[in-house]
Amino acid sequence: QQYKGIPVWKSGLVTHSNLYGNLVSLTGKHIPTPSNLSITPKISADDAVNSAVTALLPDAQKGSISAESRLVIYADKNSFSPLLAWEVEIDASIAKQLVVLVNAKTGKLILSYNNIHAENTQGSGVDVLGKTRNLNVWQKGGQYFLHDASKDMYNSAEHDAFDPDETKGIISIIDARNEPADIENDPFPDLFRISSNSKNSGWLDEGVSAAFNLSETYDYFKEKHNRQSLDGEGGAITAVVRLSNNFDNAFWNGKAKMIFFGDGDKYSSSLDIVAHELTHGVTGTSSNLVYQGQSGAINEAMSDIFGEAVERRTYGSNDWAMGTELREIARSMDNPGSINSGLGRPYPSKMSEYENLSSDVDNGGVHVNSSIINHAFYQLAEGLSNSIGFDNAAKVFYRANTTHLLPRSEFSDLRRACIQSAEDIFGKNSSQLKATEKAFDVVEIYDTPTTPPPSTGTPSSSSDSVVTLFVQSGAIHIGRREKGLNNDKPVFLSDTKSNGQRPAVSGDGTLAAFITDENNVCLVETKTGKEECIGTLGVFHAVAFSPDDRYISIIFRDAVTKKAIPSITILDLEETDPDKDSKDYTLKAVQLDESSNTISSADAMDFNANSRYLVYDALNKVSLNNGKKREIWSIYALDLKTGDTIALVPPQNNANVGYPSLSNINANLLTFDIFDTETKINSVVIGDASTGKITKIAETTKYSLPSLTGDDKSLVYSVKDSSPTGYSLFIK
């Protein structure tokens, strides 16, 4: 995704088509297009680099650090407000490659993480198992070297396996000879080829283990997934052994495209650890999952999963334990809770045990929370009663990682990606797909409701109370409906007639507000029906409460034209200063490339869960370049903190989008109507602003004015029918 030529950080969409070219799914993340975002930075690239280095590496020596920067558009997953930022990549040392986002306006750091994918276990080391391994070595003159050019990715006509500048297609093992002394601060170490005077003896033990395990990992991906090396294009695979002195780690450096082994434990001898680190290379050249938070935990889990997969192929079975050859097991996939996570608690095995960690602790839990995904894979492979077998489970996760996931994918995205992958491989109604759904259910990673067949549905009961509008003797009134929505009579809350606008309900559910047929605003207690009407007759058009009951939003009418005016007034009930307790926001429109656009009015409004954003539908008056004019309803969001306007659902061709209603729990979840002006069919949908995914719930012939129930478990909407009032209320 780009905005005016600038990449939107780690955002994009992937379309998936069937054999006939028909679109079948859409995955990924996108940021809604801002109405007006400046792309001119106020701080320079050098200043951004200096800010990042000063904040994160205050003791670093100048000259030992190299950095690159570029402008990007960044938006937090819970925010509708994109901003301009500098993405700074800092090579601090061989074991520290920092990715930093710096606000291009203020110079403040937005986020940072170490992009070195490390295996954080207690100890590190060199493999001395005493086992004899078959090797493919390179002969030059009277010397032999640990360069494996036996794989079919190597083309002798194009490359020289001994030439360091022509390394494509080979597996190379290099020796750091216990340098550098200071792994955190010293620059890239000097590296030396491992050689011997005999092809059958005299080899460095650590090099032999690394050569064997890298070869087995390559063979697994080629044999099982037809992947030609880590990048899928026959790129070189390089390992460095004996890094530093008593260094207790192994890691993948994505920029150098090398795997590094310390000498404190048997890292290079542990096949699952070697395959784990190399799988970071597969991920880095496919989904490129950001190494932080949930995306980083998926990144780590993919490496654990395929570490076990390589172990299973080579030895005929796997033990579900990462790092069996090390002094201590790093993680258990079949029983995560049997291992201490390093936080004084066991590794989590499901989302109710998820560790919410700050970004400075394990990059936001990339290792700790990866065990939840590991356990989902174990369940799919052999834990469930309807498990599908290891190889089939690996096919599902491999396809998800290389086809459906994107850099900022989270756990719910992985669920959808794996379900889609199971459908791709085994079919829509396959047992493998059902097992995939069950595996994620077991670890409590759920998805939004799947799309049911288009219909009006069968009304069902609910213990939740629904405040809505009812028709009685030809007049519209506000009322409350409990259970048995089609059968029980409503409890009318007011004799005052409504103008038909959707009523607003306070966050605690005790108070409702509605606009009268005389365009006054009335407040009524939902339990007792006690009512109070306020304001001047004829001046109100719509009203909404924030979930925390702090704000009330109002759209006023022009007293002369009787039409809604193009502004929204926000009342702050906690503000004691009468000069600051209300604020007017002029409605702004997103400007379309082929036309000019203004907003003539807004209608339905709702606040998001954290009360920061007011989402509303608005009537766009579009003047096309050919002189024609159109009126289109779309959905906008108003940031009450910054005053920015965001086109949440921009104007669509041949569709009116309106009546948005948001969850009081999930800041990203909203429901709305999409009315096709050509087919005259209205779609009732649920959208997730964090992923861009829209799920259709039902089809109706008129606008349905949908709303989520207080617990987000159901959706209430109206359907035009032949009932005495002309409409019925439904819940799904």
Side-chain angles (χ1 to χ4, degrees):
Q1 185 181 10
Q2 291 189 346
Y3 176 76
K4 296 182 179 180
I6 297 177
V8 180
W9 192 72
K10 307 300 184 186
S11 296
L13 296 175
V14 178
T15 59
H16 306 274
S17 304
N18 60 20
L19 294 176
Y20 303 101
N22 298 319
L23 181 67
V24 295
S25 66
L26 182 70
T27 57
K29 290 185 180 296
H30 80 284
I31 304 302
T33 302
S35 58
N36 186 20
L37 175 64
S38 173
I39 58 172
T40 303
K42 291 190 175 181
I43 68 167
S44 67
D46 289 341
D47 289 339
V49 171
N50 290 334
S51 295
V53 172
T54 300
L56 301 175
L57 302 166
D59 300 324
Q61 296 180 356
K62 292 184 178 180
S64 65
I65 294 175
S66 63
E68 299 176 356
S69 60
R70 66 167 183 164
L71 279 176
V72 298
I73 306 297
Y74 171 79
D76 182 79
K77 65 180 181 179
N78 293 321
S79 172
F80 293 130
S81 297
L83 54 84
L84 189 67
W86 287 103
E87 181 186 42
V88 180
E89 293 187 0
I90 304 172
D91 290 327
S93 70
I94 194 63
K96 183 178 291 185
Q97 184 186 93
L98 301 178
V99 176
V100 189
L101 290 186
V102 180
N103 191 312
K105 181 178 179 181
T106 65
K108 293 183 178 180
L109 269 62
I110 300 170
L111 65 82
S112 63
Y113 59 91
N114 186 359
N115 205 35
I116 295 298
H117 305 124
E119 179 54 42
N120 291 336
T121 59
Q122 296 182 3
S124 66
V126 179
D127 187 5
V128 188
L129 297 180
K131 296 181 179 179
T132 301
R133 303 294 189 184
N134 294 324
L135 295 176
N136 292 294
V137 297
W138 185 267
Q139 181 181 8
K140 189 175 180 71
Q143 289 286 99
Y144 297 90
F145 299 87
L146 280 184
H147 296 292
D148 183 354
S150 67
K151 308 302 182 185
D152 60 8
M153 64 177 175
Y154 175 70
N155 187 333
S156 60
E158 297 180 2
H159 304 291
D160 179 356
F162 193 74
D163 187 339
D165 296 324
E166 296 288 345
T167 58
K168 186 174 182 179
I170 67 169
I171 299 174
S172 300
I173 313 300
I174 311 296
D175 186 12
R177 297 182 182 177
N178 297 115
E179 295 293 336
D182 185 353
I183 190 66
E184 287 295 324
N185 298 307
D186 282 3
F188 202 92
D190 292 331
L191 301 176
F192 304 89
R193 295 185 180 89
I194 298 174
S195 63
S196 174
N197 293 325
S198 170
K199 62 181 181 181
N200 295 315
S201 63
W203 294 108
L204 178 68
D205 291 344
E206 294 91 333
V208 171
S209 296
F212 172 78
N213 289 330
L214 266 65
S215 176
E216 291 296 301
T217 302
Y218 168 87
D219 289 345
Y220 167 81
F221 282 107
K222 185 64 172 65
E223 176 185 313
K224 298 293 187 179
H225 306 291
N226 197 31
R227 188 177 187 87
Q228 191 66 282
S229 190
L230 307 183
D231 61 1
E233 298 179 355
I237 301 176
T238 304
V240 177
V241 298
R242 295 203 301 184
L243 179 68
S244 195
N245 189 25
N246 294 321
F247 181 52
D248 59 351
N249 213 337
F251 60 83
W252 167 260
N253 184 306
K255 191 166 187 179
K257 293 182 172 56
M258 295 181 179
I259 180 174
F260 291 82
F261 299 105
D263 67 343
D265 204 345
K266 301 175 182 178
Y267 283 116
S268 63
S269 298
S270 299
L271 178 57
D272 55 0
I273 294 297
V274 173
H276 170 108
E277 300 301 343
L278 288 178
T279 302
H280 282 306
V282 174
T283 298
T285 54
S286 52
S287 61
N288 196 24
L289 290 158
V290 172
Y291 201 60
Q292 186 182 50
Q294 288 194 10
S295 58
I298 300 172
N299 194 323
E300 276 296 317
M302 288 294 176
S303 286
D304 279 0
I305 288 166
F306 290 101
E308 289 300 290
V310 175
E311 181 179 273
R312 188 181 187 90
R313 174 196 169 274
T314 298
Y315 299 127
S317 64
N318 67 295
D319 55 13
W320 299 109
M322 288 302 301
T324 308
E325 302 293 347
L326 304 182
R327 289 192 295 269
E328 294 184 9
I329 293 174
R331 282 176 294 280
S332 170
M333 298 176 71
D334 59 341
N335 186 15
S338 64
I339 306 294
N340 190 299
S341 67
L343 301 174
R345 298 180 292 277
Y347 273 96
S349 60
K350 53 188 177 181
M351 287 303 292
S352 56
E353 300 167 354
Y354 182 87
E355 297 281 1
N356 284 297
L357 303 176
S358 62
S359 60
D360 59 347
V361 179
D362 188 30
N363 266 14
V366 298
H367 291 92
V368 173
N369 292 315
S370 68
S371 60
I372 298 174
I373 306 302
N374 287 346
H375 198 54
F377 178 84
Y378 163 76
Q379 294 292 337
L380 181 61
E382 66 177 44
L384 297 173
S385 59
N386 62 332
S387 59
I388 66 176
F390 196 106
D391 284 351
N392 283 339
K395 289 178 182 178
V396 169
F397 273 72
Y398 176 81
R399 182 170 177 80
N401 193 22
T402 58
T403 303
H404 294 294
L405 293 179
L406 287 170
R408 298 177 76 180
S409 294
E410 298 184 342
F411 285 6
S412 60
D413 300 306
L414 176 63
R415 175 193 169 99
R416 290 189 287 270
C418 286
I419 290 171
Q420 182 63 54
S421 297
E423 179 179 328
D424 296 342
I425 300 168
F426 303 108
K428 189 171 185 178
N429 297 314
S430 63
S431 59
Q432 292 88 345
L433 186 150
K434 295 176 181 178
T436 303
E437 294 175 331
K438 179 63 176 176
F440 281 92
D441 287 345
V442 169
V443 299
E444 301 172 353
I445 298 175
Y446 304 112
D447 196 4
T448 54
T450 56
T451 305
S455 70
T456 57
T458 302
S460 60
S461 63
S462 171
S463 60
D464 204 357
S465 178
V466 177
V467 175
T468 186
L469 299 176
F470 299 91
V471 177
Q472 186 178 51
S473 301
I476 303 174
H477 294 270
I478 185 172
R480 186 183 76 243
R481 177 78 81 175
E482 298 291 342
K483 60 182 179 179
L485 298 180
N486 249 12
N487 303 318
D488 292 354
K489 292 183 179 181
V491 177
F492 286 94
L493 296 175
S494 172
D495 291 329
T496 306
K497 298 177 183 178
S498 166
N499 72 344
Q501 286 283 348
R502 184 175 60 196
V505 182
S506 61
D508 60 8
T510 62
L511 194 66
F514 68 98
I515 305 299
T516 72
D517 63 341
E518 295 180 320
N519 293 98
N520 190 14
V521 61
C522 292
L523 304 176
V524 58
E525 294 181 0
T526 57
K527 185 176 182 180
T528 65
K530 183 179 179 180
E531 181 181 276
E532 179 181 1
C533 296
I534 59 176
T536 305
L537 294 179
V539 301
F540 292 95
H541 178 72
V543 63
F545 285 109
S546 65
D548 60 4
D549 296 333
R550 175 174 178 174
Y551 301 105
I552 297 177
S553 63
I554 300 172
I555 299 173
F556 290 99
R557 301 173 80 225
D558 187 287
V560 177
T561 65
K562 309 299 183 182
K563 294 182 178 180
I565 62 177
S567 70
I568 293 176
T569 298
I570 304 294
L571 303 180
D572 187 344
L573 302 182
E574 294 184 5
E575 179 58 61
T576 58
D577 187 342
D579 295 329
K580 299 180 180 179
D581 63 357
S582 68
K583 187 173 182 180
D584 296 329
Y585 295 87
T586 300
L587 301 183
K588 300 177 182 179
V590 60
Q591 295 306 314
L592 308 177
D593 292 339
E594 72 279 6
S595 59
S596 62
N597 186 20
T598 59
I599 299 297
S600 62
S601 65
D603 194 39
M605 301 178 291
D606 202 4
F607 288 84
N608 79 325
N610 61 20
S611 300
R612 174 171 174 175
Y613 296 94
L614 177 72
V615 176
Y616 57 93
D617 58 14
L619 183 59
N620 301 263
K621 301 190 76 171
V622 180
S623 298
L624 302 176
N625 291 336
N626 60 11
K628 294 184 179 180
K629 295 183 178 181
R630 297 179 59 194
E631 291 189 339
I632 307 171
W633 285 93
S634 65
I635 297 178
Y636 291 86
L638 174 64
D639 187 339
L640 300 184
K641 184 176 181 180
T642 67
D644 292 337
T645 298
I646 303 99
L648 195 59
V649 184
Q652 309 290 309
N653 288 327
N654 304 318
N656 283 323
V657 183
Y659 296 105
S661 180
L662 288 90
S663 164
N664 285 348
I665 301 173
N666 186 331
N668 294 312
L669 199 62
L670 72 159
T671 179
F672 52 94
D673 282 325
I674 304 177
F675 187 84
D676 191 313
T677 57
E678 292 186 344
T679 65
K680 307 302 180 183
I681 296 296
N682 180 68
S683 296
V684 187
V685 303
I686 288 180
D688 188 331
S690 67
T691 64
K693 181 179 180 181
I694 294 176
T695 301
K696 182 164 67 174
I697 301 300
E699 288 185 351
T700 63
T701 58
K702 295 290 184 181
Y703 293 106
S704 73
L705 282 69
S707 292
L708 289 158
T709 55
D711 56 8
D712 282 354
K713 291 182 178 179
S714 301
L715 182 73
V716 181
Y717 61 97
S718 62
V719 175
K720 183 174 176 58
D721 56 19
S722 59
S723 63
T725 64
Y727 283 88
S728 293
L729 200 63
F730 288 79
I731 185 169
K732 281 189 176 179

